[in-house]
Amino acid sequence: MYNACMVFKKKYNIWFQLVLGIICGFLNMFGSKMAEGLSLPIFNDTLFTVLASFFGWTAGITSALGYHILFCLFIQKGFSGFLFVICSLSMVLIVRLYIKNKDKLSLMDFVFMIFISALVISFEGGLIFVFVFNQFDFKETVEVNKITYILIRQQIPLLVSAWLSRIPVNLLDKTLAVLAGGYGAIGLGKLLGNHFQKKDNSLPQQKN
């Protein structure tokens, strides 16, 4: 039986991971731009980072860094929001640690990852937003801005408003990212088979 978790515990070739990470970084940028264009209440910037992270640290980190660099260069046209890369790197960390400590992946494991990532990234994102807002008058996703300013008008402090506004958005966003990215990675892993995996030289070689 195909065991996705055991497959992704194996190490993939570094060049494969780099190429996959770069491709996923570009795809994240298009996904983020699409969500913004359609006024969707999600960030849609970590789906392909989740997918890449299943194949290794290098793939996940390359995807996260690649997306945020591309976003700052071509969409935001400035680096005031680059600190949000911390949120994407946290997504990589959650996926990799989960794979490391599990023998099998079930739907409930994905649900757990959704809630953990939504809470952690909401907390980080709120802190980063307050910093860049105070420093650069930073503007972000329309739906998040709406919720944040509604809460501020209720005399709720900016930091708390930034945290609370992110939780529902991140729950939606990470549900899409973890389920689509995770199952997408499983499908790609099945398709690739043993290709691009490093050979395990730890086993003794049989002699003729």
Side-chain angles (χ1 to χ4, degrees), residues 26 42 49-51 89 127 133 138 141 156 179 193 196 198:
F26 273 100
I42 55 175
T49 294
V50 170
L51 186 151
L89 292 174
L127 284 173
F133 179 83
F138 180 77
T141 304
I156 298 174
L179 293 180
F196 304 112
K198 290 183 177 180

Side-chain angles (χ1 to χ4, degrees), residues 101-131:
N101 292 289
K102 297 289 290 187
D103 293 324
K104 290 184 179 180
L105 285 175
S106 67
L107 179 60
M108 287 308 300
D109 293 317
F110 283 112
V111 171
F112 186 73
M113 269 196 280
I114 288 166
F115 278 97
I116 290 295
S117 59
L119 292 175
V120 168
I121 291 173
S122 293
F123 178 78
E124 293 173 340
L127 284 173
I128 296 167
F129 172 77
V130 170
F131 173 76

